[in-house]
Amino acid sequence: VHYARIAQKDGEINSYLSLAKDRALAQAAKIDALAKAGDPLPPLAGVPLGIKDVLTMVGSPATAGSKILEGYHPPYDCTAVAKLEAAGAVLLGKLNCDEFAMGSSNENSAYGPVHNPRALDRVPGGSSGGSAAAVAAGFCVASLGTDTGGSIRQPAAFCGVTGLLPTWGRVSRFGLIAFASSLDRIGPFTRNVKDAATLLGVMAGSDIMDATASHTPVNDYVAESQKPVAGLKIGVPEEYFGEGLDLEIRAAVEKSIADLKAAGCEIKKISLPHTRYAIPTYYVIATAEASSNLSRFDGVRFGLRDKSASTLTGMYRQTRDAGFGAEVKRRILLGTYALSAGYYDAYYKKAQQVRTLLTRDFLSAFADVDAIVTPMTPTPAFKLGEKTDDPVAMYLADVYTVAASLAGICGVSVPCGNTKEGLPIGVQILGRHFDEGMALRVAQAVE
Ligand code: GLN
């Protein structure tokens, strides 16, 4: 059913980069055999999933939306993907995204932009635009994306689906093609909060292949997400309701807050005073780490190689020149600059100090409240091409996402209405480190 729908309709959306039919059909046959034999079925038996193309899957290419990885077939499975398959999920294929997950609109993919299924002339958000669009279009029941500075939560809001950002370290990143390692996280896109809780429960946990995957015990997220919310304290940060917030979005988010109050929550005004420094801080740290992570793409080990050069350094240079897109090059330059001798203290070190202040803002807020509610995006999905000439305008689309990324806390993006034009609106629920159950519980109440 899903492959038929993809064949029929993905031409205009462009969400899948490759299909994993052999692997999917083999898995489906296995589940079928279990069912016929009357054996107990695993928790995700037969659930069709799509996987963002920055995650590795044996038998499928992994391009990360880049030409430089053209022809690269990873020899191992991403842990999160393998865990989902072991739980019975059927992996349909790989989903389009911004090149190396850099972007907010999916217009930086070397394989063409993704169109928002809710309005084809609009962006789906980014960088996990294909993952959000595929769930919204019914091309899979759920998908995996990654979020470094908003790339699960913002596209979920733009496409009208649920997106979960687990705490940094909650889900193993083994098999994730790294962008900014101190920020990168893997998480699900789903049609509802309960499905997000289910997928997190399967993926979460430590991993011998990833030293940054935490040993913190994995909770029963489904049970936690279904608990009543009466008596919970909800923080509403004034800094997230200022200038630039679309009026219809503000009204929809305020309605969600009123619903929580009606459900018995105590609503508290809070302040996260360093919020306005989040975007510059994020773009220094993310680009610095990207410039280091992306040095491995040199034409020797992975994918593309320009064979016309006569020297080794010439080969590196020409391969990287031909393989990387404009935004990736911009970030490598920015990051290399921020890390260079003489500038390191002024930019990178300063950004790390501000990161600590941003994290403390959240920690002191969470001493008083159980969850924080904010708008997910300042505007609804914008038109394709609208911001492509202005990288700074594009970066500003991340105003409500990057602070939580820098702080490492968890969050959920849930649909909370539509604009008059019919574009989806999302609300963000943030939770303490490793308190996904609480964020999901509040999200469930506003769903
Ligand atoms: N839009 C942000 C960026 O371009 C976030 C991307 C992400 O989370 N992968 O860096």
Side-chain angles (χ1 to χ4, degrees):
V1 180
H2 289 85
Y3 278 140
R5 213 175 281 159
I6 293 164
Q8 201 182 24
K9 290 216 189 109
D10 201 27
E12 55 185 17
I13 292 175
N14 197 28
S15 64
Y16 277 90
L17 291 179
S18 59
L19 298 176
K21 282 193 179 160
D22 290 348
R23 186 163 171 169
L25 295 177
Q27 169 81 345
K30 208 166 120 189
I31 301 288
D32 241 19
L34 282 180
K36 288 211 180 89
D39 289 343
L41 292 177
L44 300 180
V47 177
L49 301 183
I51 306 296
K52 184 177 182 180
D53 210 27
V54 294
L55 303 172
T56 62
M57 230 173 94
V58 172
S60 293
T63 67
S66 182
K67 267 202 278 200
I68 208 162
L69 278 172
E70 220 164 60
Y72 172 59
H73 282 257
Y76 59 92
D77 273 339
C78 172
T79 298
V81 171
K83 280 185 165 179
L84 292 170
E85 194 178 48
V90 177
L91 310 172
L92 297 180
K94 306 295 294 293
L95 294 162
N96 203 346
C97 57
D98 281 307
E99 186 173 4
F100 291 106
M102 297 175 187
S104 307
S105 67
N106 214 123
E107 293 167 295
N108 294 335
S109 167
Y111 304 96
V114 175
H115 296 252
N116 191 320
R118 296 284 296 267
L120 291 175
D121 60 336
R122 306 249 167 192
V123 303
S127 64
S128 315
S131 303
V135 173
F139 297 156
C140 50
V141 166
S143 64
L144 288 193
T146 60
D147 191 313
T148 302
S151 285
I152 291 175
R153 293 162 288 155
Q154 182 254 25
F158 278 7
C159 293
V161 299
T162 298
L164 168 65
L165 168 76
T167 305
W168 189 87
R170 180 66 298 179
V171 174
S172 161
R173 282 107 41 91
F174 180 68
L176 160 61
I177 297 168
F179 160 13
S181 308
S182 79
L183 296 156
D184 292 343
R185 316 185 205 171
I186 299 174
F189 287 88
T190 54
R191 294 180 190 167
N192 56 53
V193 170
K194 199 171 176 188
D195 286 357
T198 305
L199 292 196
L200 177 65
V202 171
M203 289 189 289
S206 61
D207 180 7
I208 194 155
M209 301 306 283
D210 176 4
T212 68
S214 171
H215 288 269
T216 305
V218 175
N219 298 333
D220 182 346
Y221 301 111
V222 176
E224 290 187 359
S225 72
Q226 303 305 309
K227 286 188 191 158
V229 293
L232 295 182
K233 290 187 193 151
I234 305 295
V236 179
E238 52 178 338
E239 291 82 1
Y240 284 67
F241 290 82
E243 212 186 311
L245 175 58
D246 176 274
L247 291 177
E248 288 183 90
I249 295 186
R250 171 194 283 268
V253 172
E254 282 172 351
K255 165 86 173 55
S256 296
I257 295 169
D259 289 348
L260 288 171
K261 190 168 181 195
C265 295
E266 184 185 337
I267 309 298
K268 292 190 140 193
K269 282 212 166 75
I270 60 166
S271 175
L272 301 166
H274 297 93
T275 300
R276 67 196 174 99
Y277 303 112
I279 289 189
T281 304
Y282 169 80
Y283 277 97
V284 171
I285 292 176
T287 56
E289 293 186 18
S291 71
S292 166
N293 272 324
L294 269 53
S295 63
R296 63 171 63 86
F297 301 107
D298 54 7
V300 177
R301 288 166 287 186
F302 311 96
L304 190 77
R305 174 178 304 173
D306 187 310
K307 297 202 176 83
S308 65
S310 53
T311 63
L312 182 62
T313 40
M315 190 279 285
Y316 292 157
R317 189 183 313 123
Q318 283 171 221
T319 300
R320 287 168 69 85
D321 188 34
F324 287 139
E327 181 62 22
V328 174
K329 287 178 184 159
R330 180 179 300 124
R331 294 198 188 198
I332 292 173
L333 287 171
L334 278 170
T336 306
Y337 181 81
L339 290 177
S340 47
Y343 295 109
Y344 183 93
D345 285 352
Y347 297 111
Y348 185 72
K349 190 169 161 206
K350 181 68 76 192
Q352 292 291 13
Q353 288 165 332
V354 180
R355 181 178 194 170
T356 300
L357 296 176
L358 284 157
T359 307
R360 284 193 196 146
D361 278 1
F362 281 111
L363 294 180
S364 51
F366 280 126
D368 230 18
V369 297
D370 299 299
I372 294 174
V373 177
T374 81
M376 197 61 263
T377 58
T379 66
F382 43 89
K383 292 227 161 85
L384 283 149
E386 196 179 314
K387 296 188 201 278
T388 37
D389 295 337
D390 187 350
V392 175
M394 193 69 90
Y395 297 171
L396 291 175
D398 302 332
V399 57
Y400 301 139
T401 55
V402 292
S405 299
L406 290 162
I409 58 174
C410 63
V412 188
S413 174
V414 225
C416 68
N418 294 297
T419 65
K420 282 197 235 41
E421 253 188 283
L423 299 171
I425 299 175
V427 55
Q428 170 167 244
I429 320 288
L430 296 171
R432 295 182 184 101
H433 293 112
F434 297 102
D435 203 3
E436 287 81 1
M438 178 62 75
L440 289 161
R441 176 174 169 190
V442 175
Q444 178 71 70
V446 302
E447 184 175 81

